[in-house]
Structures are given as structure tokens and as C-alpha cells.
Amino acid sequence: MIEVDGTLKSRLAVWLLVTVSALGALLLIEAYLSSQRAAERAYDSQLESAALTIAEAVQWQEGQPVVEIPAAALQILATRHQERVFYAVLDADGQRVSANLDFPIQADWRKQVDEHPVWTDADNLGAGWRLHGREFDSAGWETQDPVQIWVGHTLAGRQALTGELFERAVTRFLVMVLLAGLLMLLAMRVALNPMRRLRQLLRQREADDMRPFDARVPEELRELAETLDTLFARQRESRDALLRFTADASHQLKTPLAGLQSTSELALKSTQPDEWRRALAAVHDGAERTSRLANQLLSLARLRHVADGSEMRRLDLATLLRETVFEWAERDVAEDHDLGLAKLPSTPLFIHGEPWALRELLGNLIDNALRYTPPGSMITLGLVRHVDEVELFIEDDGPGVAPEVLERLHHPFERGGRQDTHGSGLGLAIVDSIARRHDARLNMAPHTPCGLRVSLYFPLASQEDTP
Amino acid sequence: MIARRLRTLAFATLLLAPASGWAAIPLVVEAALDREVVAPLLEAFEQAHPDIALDFRDRSTLEVDERIAEADPAPDVVISSAMPWQMARVNEGYARRLDSAEARGWPEWAKWRDEVFGFTFEPIVMAYRLDLSRHMMPPATHADLHTLLTEQLELLRGRVTTYSPSRSGVGYTLFQQDARYTTRFWDLVAAMGNADAVLEANTRAMLEGISEGRYWLGYNLLGSYAMVWAQEHPEVIVQVPQDYSLVMMRMAFIHRDAPNPGAAREFLDFLLSRDGQRVIAGETPLFSVRPDVIGPYTAQRLRDQVGERLYPIPINASLLAFVDPQRRDAFMARWQREFERR
């Protein structure tokens, strides 16, 4: 089920927007502060010039400082923004020698000015002011007392300059964002192009075209393309396997049917009732074999295509094994062989499994052993408990299987190179399918000194897990 | 004629407004500006704004300055020719910003902070009595005046008059400005002192003295008053100095605590408007500042006549230096020293 969850474009756009907004906010705050600083610096230096100009006019007459305020100093103070201006010249005792406004100069400001020039903000006479104070040593004939010069002006010019600088910064920023947005749109189109190409390739594919991709993709899409390739490969394999299986099954069914046909034709040509009887017996045998083959094919198909494990339950593997072996030991087919059980562990061994499937598995294993070993061979089944799994084994002392064939033994219609029996070649394939359903591993190894040992490792069901 | 018009005006304000039953908005204008001179302008304002009851109080510059800080209730509009004092008051925050198209359009050099506006353009002149020209070549420049004062010392002794810098704010401002332009000004002061020049507190007193024959020559008179006087007193000749001529501007602002700021805005807007300036240019000798106004008394026309030798006292922060007490003391000390130099 495909659920559409927004578009990549909108996701990218949202992230971009969030990032740009957050960064932009920081940037604008910084721009405002730096505009303020720049304006502050520019106008503070005017205050300084005015103070210096006034200092130049300070003279000493009869031990008293006298200052003839220069008009230029006031014009510097006022700036082109026509600020209201303030000046005061204080003597060493803090007394006003000259001042134009009744602006209180605080004692701690005066103390600071002793050490270094001071810039400070203050509110007075219904306006905000920026003040600057500095001290000047004087060398008169009668006295060497320093004088303090305080100047100040209102803030219109600073605010105007801050606003102007900030406005410029904002304009630059907005233009940048616009350009970046446009470029980003373009970049998104270009970046998403490979996706479009991949989509087109997929759409153009024929329904049964399972070939790997032939496309140029960026690194980010490589995984997706490879996964698709793997998917195609698996589809291809399973389709091939199905075709092979169908062909093999048809072939296997054809042989006994051809035998039936020829036998019955021969019988029809004969007039001897004895001949008829023999032929009928042969036909009966052939029909029985064919029927068994069809049954096995059906059960394999069932195993392969009925995927749900609804019949899975907790069961004791030892009990199941004992029952099945006893049942087989009593059959006629087992009378020439020595079919037996190894000593079973004393405690029950619980696994999750389907009883019918496990019986089918054991049946196929025993049937295989009976068919592919000479009469008189010893066939032993048993269970070995490991840490978290249980091993079910069956071993014989027959001729064994060539190592190079072992790997393929569980493929359908593989008879280990033997054509001398009536086996269908499906037994181990069924065993393999059932083992897979039970998450069990199938292992086949030569048995020493001779023969074959087939092992199945089932995961143990946990103890607490009661049925 | 002016007097008659004034009476009609007074009647109009006293009788008409209450009789008509309007709740006229009172508007108090404290002004250092002769009522007779400015009457046509006030009349025009009252016609344009019949709903405002204008109370125009003509005072000396010193009184006006005092009333800015002390009057309770505060006046609505303050007009004064004592430019540095007006400036100082504005700097102290007594003015209210005028935010109007007229204010924004006003020339930059004739306003400060959009709070105070120079709305007249009055040249500073010399005036002499016709008798003078019978004895000597009348002065046309400051240098001429200095030469006359030294060469014709005996004839002119006691017959020269000028402002007293201590008793008149306008006079003090003019001398400060003179001293900024040339140091030879002090020679002129010394020469006037030598000639026992008589110091008067206002232009009117100087003009009356010249008409009566007590004085032959006056220095640094307000051209606006002198020109009106000369029209009715043919024995008085007005001379705009040919080397440089100072120009004084009346400065008007709305008081921060104006009881009727709306009416005050109307009044100031009218002063700056084309209509108000046209009255100034046509019916008063105060000279209009606006370049788009035509009439006998405009700054433009004066420039055309006198040339580029007009030096308006700048309306900017440098004016504040003139009211600095120490600077004033130093200036007055120097004045005394020079004036009494023999």
C-alpha cells in the first residue's frame, strides 16, 4: 500500500525556510546591533571633537578657568541632524565654570572621568541624551587644577543612522534570500532529475523484463537501484525455478505414463490371460508409483505455497520421532533393513512445529534411506540436544553420496546420480521445504566409515512457553 | 493709517468674536515685534481664521524670553528677534515640533529642528540725517563709517548712535556677529567710543533721535523699522551697507506647553504660508523669506538690489555660544575696553 506523504520538494523547501528564517533572525539581530555600534562610534567621535574644541578654548585668568565657548564646537555637537546640545565645563571641585543646560552631572561620572574619558546615556529635559566627559590638565601660572569638559547631544542622528544602516543590511539580506531561493529551486529540479529518469526507466519496462538496470544514478539512489536489481534477480530466479520444476514434473510424470501405455498396448495385442494378468499387475504398480509421485508433487506445491503457519504448535519432538519410527518399522518395506532409534534424551524436547509436516519430513527421510541403501543396511535415527537447538539425525551405513553431489541433493528430481531405484527424486526437496518452514537448518555429511548422515537443527521452544 | 487699521482690528477682536456667539479659541502670542509693523499680517490671519481669538502681546525681547519659562499659563506662540535667546530656549526643550507641509518646505537655513522658524528677513542698516550729507559724503560701507568717525570727529561728536549691547539683546547679537566677521570691528567700536556715541536700547529711539536732529548718524538699525520710518520722515535716509549687511530673522516657535496647540499650529503655518508671506512682502517691511512670493519686501528682491553681500545670522547651534555667560562677559569686557579707549 503506497501512502503519499508530502513531496520531497516541499520537505526541502520547509527545511530551507526554517534554516533561513532562524539564521536570518540571528543575522538581522546582529545587523541591527552592528548598525547601532557603527552609529554610536560615528557620533561619539563627534562628541569627542566637540570636547577637544572646547578644551582648546579653556584659559586661566587669576587662578580661575575661563572658557569662551567656540561656536564651532556647538555646531559639531549639533551635527547635521540638528540635535539639542549640552556642554558644561567643571572645575576641580565640580563647580560649573560654564554650562548651557541645567543637566546634573553625577558624582560617580566625575570620578570615572578622573581616570579615562567617559561616554554615557542619560535622560533629561524630556529626551534621551548621549554624554561625553573628559578631563584636561592645565598648566596655568597660578594653578594646575584639571578641568572637566562634558558635552552631549540628543539621539536623533544616531537613530537615523542606525535605521539607515539597518535598512541597507535588511535589503541586502532579502536580496540574498530571494536569489538563494531561486537557485535552490533550480538546484532541486536538477537534483531530482535522476529520480525522474529512474521512474521513466521503470515505467518503460515490459512486464516480463527482469534484466538488471542500465542507468546512471547518483550515490544517494544507488542503494534503491541495487535493491530493485536484487528484487528483479530474485523474481527472475523464482520464475526460472518454477519453469524448471514444471518441466521436470511433466517429464517425471511422462515416463511412468509412457510405461503404462506400452504395457497396456502389449497386453492388448496378446490373447493370453496370463499375459493380461502380468500386464495388469505391472499397470497397477505403475499407477501406484505415478499416484505417489503426484502426491509428492502436490505436497511440495502445498509446502511451497501455503505460507501461513497457522497449524504451528508446541510439541515434543522425541515423542513424535518415536511414534513415527515405530510405525515405519512395522511396515513391509522396512523388513529387509535394520531400522532403529538411538537412545533419546530423557527430557522432552519442545519445538514449534506442524505435526503433519514433521511426520511427512520423517517419512521422506526414512523412505529415502530405505530406497537408497542395499538390504541389510543399518538405519539409525536420533536426537541430540544442543544449547538452544535440537539436532534430529538419520544415518545409514550404505554406499553414501559423492561429496560434489551433496550440495545439490535437496533439489527436486536429484537422485544423487542413482537411476536404479523407483524414488521420485522429490523426497529431500520436501524435507528441505519443511525444514525452512520450521526455521531449521539442513545439513548432509558423509557418515564414517561409510554411508550418509542427514542432520536437521530445530530451534528449541522456550520453557515458559506452554501450549 | 496704520493706527486706524489697528483700531478696527481691536474692535473686531473685542466686539465681533463674542457677539457672533462662537466659542473662539484663544491664542496667546508673546512677540518682540512692533504691533504697528505687523498689523496687516495679524489682520489677514484673523480674516483667514475667524474662529481663533488672537491675543498678540507686544513686548521687549527680554520680557518675551522671561515669559517663555515663567508665564503660567504658557503662551501659545513665541516670536522674538533675540535670536540666540530663542535658540537657547529651543535647545532647552521649550519648543514643540511643527509637523506640516509648510514646515517641511521651509528653507533649511531658516529653521532649526522643525521647531523654530525664521520667518522674516530684515537687513541691518545705517541711517543718517539729511543734514549729514551737507557736510560730508554719507557712509556706504563699514570702512566709510570708520573713516568718517576719525576724520570728522569734531562734527560727529555726540551725534552718532547705535545699540547698547548691554541693554538690547538684538544689539548684542549684531555686534557679536560683526565681531565674528572682522577684527576691524573693534576699531569701529573704539572710534564710536571716541566720538561719544550714544547707546540706545532700540531702533525706534535711534530713529526718533535722528528725526529730532539729536543724532546725525545711526549704526546697526533694524532695516524693517527704519524703512517704514523713512517713508514718513523724509529727513531720514536709510543705507544698506555696501560691503556686507547682516540680516536678522524673527524666530517663531510653538511653546511646548501651549494651551491651544492647534490654534498655535494654524498661526505658525499661516506665518510660513504663501498667503502670510505675501502679506509680509506686500504690506510690512519685514521681508518675506519665501522665494516664490512677489512684492516690494522680499529677500529675493533685496538680494537683487544689494547683491550677495547679505549675511543672514545663521539659525544653528553656533548661536548658542552668544548666550554663554562667560563668552558674553568676555565680549562685554572687550566692548567696554574698546569703547572707552582714547
Side-chain angles (χ1 to χ4, degrees):
Chain A
M1 163 114 183
I2 293 172
E3 200 177 324
V4 176
D5 184 16
T7 66
L8 281 180
K9 259 183 211 161
S10 64
R11 257 178 234 200
L12 280 175
V14 164
W15 276 108
L16 188 73
L17 202 72
V18 167
T19 321
V20 167
S21 313
L23 284 178
L26 286 178
L27 213 69
L28 289 183
I29 291 172
E30 209 284 321
Y32 184 75
L33 292 179
S34 77
S35 306
Q36 218 170 20
R37 273 198 302 278
E40 211 71 320
R41 264 201 303 277
Y43 281 95
D44 278 355
S45 72
Q46 285 203 296
L47 285 183
E48 192 173 14
S49 317
L52 291 170
T53 313
I54 291 176
E56 199 66 22
V58 176
Q59 289 183 333
W60 291 81
Q61 284 174 12
E62 292 146 14
Q64 292 297 316
V66 173
V67 56
E68 222 178 298
I69 292 297
L74 298 175
Q75 272 178 291
I76 294 170
L77 273 183
T79 77
R80 68 185 176 82
H81 283 277
Q82 308 191 330
E83 309 281 6
R84 286 165 66 187
V85 305
F86 161 72
Y87 65 85
V89 181
L90 311 180
D91 64 15
D93 305 324
Q95 295 301 309
R96 281 164 192 243
V97 174
S98 179
N100 74 328
L101 292 179
D102 189 18
F103 209 129
I105 302 294
Q106 291 168 16
D108 57 325
W109 295 353
R110 282 211 310 275
K111 219 168 286 163
Q112 282 177 32
V113 173
D114 275 347
E115 283 139 31
H116 54 82
V118 162
W119 276 270
T120 181
D121 295 304
D123 276 324
N124 202 21
L125 300 167
W129 293 74
R130 179 77 169 166
L131 297 183
H132 169 53
R134 56 170 51 222
E135 189 161 273
F136 287 92
D137 292 327
S138 60
W141 285 6
E142 294 92 353
T143 166
Q144 285 80 38
D145 285 344
V147 291
Q148 279 191 6
I149 291 170
W150 284 86
V151 291
H153 59 198
T154 45
L155 307 173
R158 288 161 196 266
Q159 283 155 2
L161 185 57
T162 304
E164 202 178 303
L165 292 175
F166 183 58
E167 209 170 279
R168 265 187 249 165
V170 169
T171 314
R172 277 198 299 270
F173 175 73
L174 286 181
V175 167
M176 199 195 74
V177 166
L178 266 178
L179 280 179
L182 284 177
L183 284 177
M184 205 59 210
L185 275 179
L186 216 69
M188 271 198 263
R189 288 188 75 87
V190 173
L192 292 179
N193 232 357
M195 296 274 280
R196 235 187 331 268
R197 276 211 308 273
L198 203 62
R199 194 175 61 211
Q200 272 169 354
L201 274 177
L202 282 172
R203 272 193 191 153
Q204 284 165 358
R205 255 174 194 251
E206 301 290 335
D208 57 349
D209 185 358
M210 300 288 172
R211 283 173 305 155
F213 268 123
D214 181 21
R216 279 166 56 112
V217 294
E219 180 62 33
E220 289 82 353
L221 286 181
R222 195 187 61 179
E223 211 174 322
L224 178 67
E226 279 177 359
T227 311
L228 279 171
D229 261 357
T230 321
L231 194 64
F232 284 138
R234 283 223 303 271
Q235 293 258 344
R236 200 166 57 232
E237 269 170 29
S238 88
R239 196 188 54 162
D240 289 353
L242 190 65
L243 286 175
R244 212 164 39 238
F245 181 75
T246 315
D248 286 350
S250 316
H251 184 71
Q252 294 294 326
L253 283 170
K254 207 180 103 194
T255 316
L257 286 176
L260 284 179
Q261 198 180 1
S262 62
T263 311
S264 54
E265 268 174 15
L266 277 175
L268 285 174
K269 280 179 191 159
S270 163
T271 52
Q272 298 292 318
D274 282 357
E275 293 277 329
W276 292 351
R277 188 174 181 83
R278 262 204 312 280
L280 212 51
V283 166
H284 178 260
D285 270 5
E288 198 177 47
R289 270 207 314 281
T290 314
S291 153
R292 183 168 162 272
L293 179 64
N295 270 337
Q296 278 189 315
L297 282 173
L298 263 179
S299 92
L300 195 60
R302 184 181 175 202
L303 281 169
R304 287 208 173 162
H305 294 103
V306 179
D308 79 290
S310 54
E311 290 171 62
M312 286 276 185
R313 63 183 182 82
R314 195 160 177 265
L315 54 87
D316 179 15
L317 193 57
T319 315
L320 188 103
L321 178 65
R322 198 179 294 120
E323 284 168 9
T324 315
V325 170
F326 286 163
E327 187 200 320
W328 273 87
E330 284 166 16
R331 292 193 190 181
D332 295 344
V333 287
E335 63 189 3
D336 293 337
H337 289 77
D338 180 3
L339 180 63
L341 262 179
K343 189 179 183 305
L344 294 177
S346 53
T347 51
L349 293 162
F350 286 107
I351 64 162
H352 277 293
E354 291 165 302
W356 71 268
L358 289 173
R359 281 202 191 91
E360 182 83 28
L361 176 142
L362 283 170
N364 273 291
L365 283 174
I366 296 170
D367 186 49
N368 264 7
L370 293 174
R371 275 176 202 281
Y372 293 97
T373 52
S377 297
M378 191 152 93
I379 300 167
T380 314
L381 287 95
L383 289 173
V384 181
R385 192 195 165 130
H386 295 290
V387 180
D388 53 357
E389 56 188 9
V390 56
E391 178 189 359
L392 167 69
F393 69 86
I394 176 167
E395 54 193 26
D396 60 62
D397 53 358
V401 177
E404 64 270 17
V405 186
L406 271 180
E407 284 296 304
R408 307 199 311 265
L409 216 53
H410 61 281
H411 290 173
F413 312 115
E414 182 65 61
R415 294 190 185 86
R418 302 266 296 270
Q419 302 299 332
D420 56 341
T421 73
H422 292 301
S424 63
L426 286 173
L428 272 177
I430 292 172
V431 167
D432 184 49
S433 291
I434 295 174
R436 275 170 202 259
R437 281 171 79 86
H438 288 79
D439 293 329
R441 284 185 290 123
L442 175 64
N443 185 40
M444 280 168 285
H447 180 49
T448 45
C450 62
L452 180 72
R453 178 182 166 112
V454 178
S455 302
L456 283 152
Y457 298 88
F458 289 92
L460 274 170
S462 49
Q463 290 298 321
E464 311 82 56
D465 222 15
T466 48
Chain B
M1 193 189 82
I2 287 177
R4 202 181 311 129
R5 202 187 293 156
L6 199 70
R7 264 202 300 281
T8 351
L9 184 79
F11 272 118
T13 34
L14 284 173
L15 298 174
L16 241 169
S20 59
W22 295 330
I25 306 162
L27 173 67
V28 177
V29 179
E30 297 279 1
L33 173 56
D34 275 12
R35 192 179 200 117
E36 286 171 35
V37 174
V38 81
L41 185 66
L42 303 180
E43 209 171 323
F45 174 74
E46 297 210 311
Q47 264 169 18
H49 297 275
D51 55 326
I52 295 175
L54 178 64
D55 180 2
F56 186 87
R57 299 174 183 169
D58 181 5
R59 298 181 194 276
S60 75
T61 53
L62 205 66
E63 284 171 327
V64 168
D65 189 58
E66 266 173 21
R67 294 195 65 80
I68 293 171
E70 284 157 24
D72 186 26
D76 293 301
V77 174
V78 181
I79 297 173
S80 174
S81 51
M83 296 173 71
W85 283 267
Q86 284 286 82
M87 197 67 185
R89 290 305 193 191
V90 171
N91 192 53
E92 282 166 36
Y94 278 104
R96 176 193 289 253
R97 191 182 194 86
L98 176 62
D99 196 8
S100 71
E102 303 291 358
R104 279 189 293 277
W106 201 246
E108 285 297 328
W109 54 269
K111 68 177 177 183
W112 178 252
R113 296 173 59 82
D114 279 354
E115 289 177 353
V116 64
F117 302 86
F119 69 99
T120 66
F121 195 83
E122 302 168 51
I124 302 305
V125 298
M126 296 187 259
Y128 55 89
R129 197 176 160 77
L130 219 47
D131 297 351
L132 182 87
S133 53
R134 257 182 254 137
H135 299 276
M136 59 196 87
M137 185 72 181
T141 66
H142 290 79
D144 287 351
L145 181 61
H146 183 241
T147 313
L148 278 189
L149 284 172
T150 40
E151 288 176 0
Q152 308 284 345
L153 181 60
E154 289 317 313
L155 259 177
L156 290 175
R157 189 179 294 280
R159 285 180 167 153
V160 177
T161 183
T162 189
Y163 266 117
S164 157
S166 54
R167 281 184 291 149
S168 161
V170 177
Y172 166 74
T173 311
L174 296 176
F175 291 140
Q176 271 272 18
Q177 197 65 19
D178 271 332
R180 273 178 91 179
Y181 286 132
T182 167
T183 45
R184 289 198 61 200
F185 166 72
W186 293 113
D187 294 339
L188 185 60
V189 174
M192 285 195 288
N194 226 9
D196 293 337
V198 181
L199 303 180
E200 295 282 5
N202 54 55
T203 295
R204 178 170 300 272
M206 290 189 253
L207 289 169
E208 279 169 0
I210 296 172
S211 279
E212 288 164 13
R214 280 185 283 129
Y215 311 131
W216 281 10
L217 184 58
Y219 172 67
N220 270 6
L221 286 77
L222 294 184
S224 47
Y225 295 165
M227 285 173 187
V228 174
W229 188 272
Q231 280 174 2
E232 293 174 13
H233 300 83
E235 70 280 5
V236 178
I237 311 289
V238 172
Q239 171 73 51
V240 179
Q242 297 297 298
D243 48 352
Y244 74 87
S245 171
L246 298 178
V247 174
M248 189 215 60
M249 287 181 269
R250 309 267 169 178
M251 289 165 67
F253 66 85
I254 302 170
H255 199 283
R256 178 189 64 201
D257 307 321
N260 298 293
R265 264 197 296 280
E266 295 288 350
F267 183 75
L268 221 62
D269 261 347
F270 181 77
L271 285 190
L272 306 181
S273 72
R274 211 171 156 152
D275 291 343
Q277 290 283 308
R278 196 179 289 130
V279 177
I280 289 177
E283 298 175 49
T284 75
L286 295 173
F287 292 90
S288 159
V289 175
R290 281 178 82 117
D292 59 348
V293 164
I294 296 167
Y297 300 108
T298 66
Q300 196 51 50
R301 197 171 151 143
L302 199 63
R303 283 206 186 89
D304 292 345
Q305 289 169 355
V306 185
E308 290 306 308
R309 298 184 299 275
L310 294 173
Y311 285 78
I313 298 171
I315 298 182
N316 61 30
S318 66
L319 278 179
L320 294 172
F322 295 173
V323 288
D324 180 67
Q326 282 209 337
R327 190 176 163 123
R328 186 177 158 91
D329 289 349
F331 184 85
M332 290 309 295
R334 173 107 194 247
W335 169 276
Q336 290 300 337
R337 213 162 52 241
E338 300 286 353
F339 197 71
E340 281 153 26
R341 189 169 76 187
R342 296 281 166 179

